[in-house]
Amino acid sequence: MKLSTQQDVDASIEKVFAAVSDFEKFEKTLLKRGAKVERLDELKEPAPGMAWDINFRFRGRKREAKATIEELTGPETVKATAISSGIHGYLDIELRSLSQGKTRMKVGVDMRPKTLPARVLIQSLKLAQGTLKTRFKNRVSNFAKDIEQS
């Protein structure tokens, strides 16, 4: 199942990249939403190889995921993977400078089931695909607005 969107941000590419690679902020957001997050690496600066164990509840069940930053090419690309309960997820963020103070941000998520229960879960998500696409686009849009306001 693939979700993707693009958003133009009224900020420089460096500012947008700093926001999409602010992994400490994302950790804090997950903690506020009730997830347990454990950092697995000892890197001081954002770099490929950063990894986390994440425990959370989804659809009434406890889930575990391991997230890893696969590629971090500043200020253009962030690629990450997450493996959870038979689902492999891939995040791809591409940034392109449109002008000095405007950046196009393309965000894509691809979730691939690896087990039968994961296929059932992905199939149920596909039934609500229209709602998921709208939510995804709104979240990316809100993230872009937060970047513009900071």
Side-chain angles (χ1 to χ4, degrees):
M1 181 173 161
K2 294 182 182 181
L3 299 170
S4 63
T5 189
Q6 72 179 22
Q7 182 73 38
D8 291 347
V9 184
D10 290 330
S12 68
I13 192 168
E14 292 81 12
K15 185 176 179 179
V16 176
F17 184 76
V20 299
S21 61
D22 186 357
F23 302 115
E24 285 184 25
K25 184 177 179 180
F26 294 124
E27 283 180 40
K28 290 175 185 174
T29 300
L30 287 171
L31 289 169
K32 285 180 187 176
R33 293 183 178 184
K36 293 179 184 174
V37 181
E38 181 184 349
R39 181 87 177 266
L40 300 176
D41 64 88
E42 295 184 17
L43 298 169
K44 302 292 183 212
E45 296 291 320
M50 293 177 79
W52 299 264
D53 267 337
I54 306 165
N55 294 299
F56 58 98
R57 294 188 74 75
F58 181 72
R59 293 197 169 188
R61 292 187 58 204
K62 288 185 179 181
R63 312 278 180 172
E64 294 180 12
K66 181 179 180 190
T68 307
I69 301 300
E70 301 294 334
E71 184 179 335
L72 191 66
T73 310
E76 295 95 18
T77 308
V78 177
K79 292 186 181 189
T81 59
I83 300 172
S84 171
S85 306
I87 297 175
H88 291 201
Y90 304 92
L91 170 70
D92 189 8
I93 301 172
E94 294 180 22
L95 305 175
R96 178 175 293 147
S97 181
L98 300 176
S99 67
Q100 190 76 350
K102 196 164 189 90
T103 303
R104 177 160 294 150
M105 177 173 56
K106 291 183 181 180
V107 181
V109 174
D110 185 11
M111 295 178 286
R112 299 180 188 167
K114 300 297 180 184
T115 63
L116 187 58
R119 285 182 190 271
V120 172
L121 177 62
I122 293 293
Q123 191 62 37
S124 69
L125 292 175
K126 283 183 179 181
L127 293 173
Q129 193 166 7
T131 303
L132 285 176
K133 284 182 178 181
T134 303
R135 282 177 152 179
F136 182 71
K137 189 172 184 171
N138 288 340
R139 292 257 171 117
V140 172
S141 177
N142 290 338
F143 181 69
K145 288 175 188 171
D146 288 346
I147 294 170
E148 292 171 350
Q149 293 171 357
S150 64

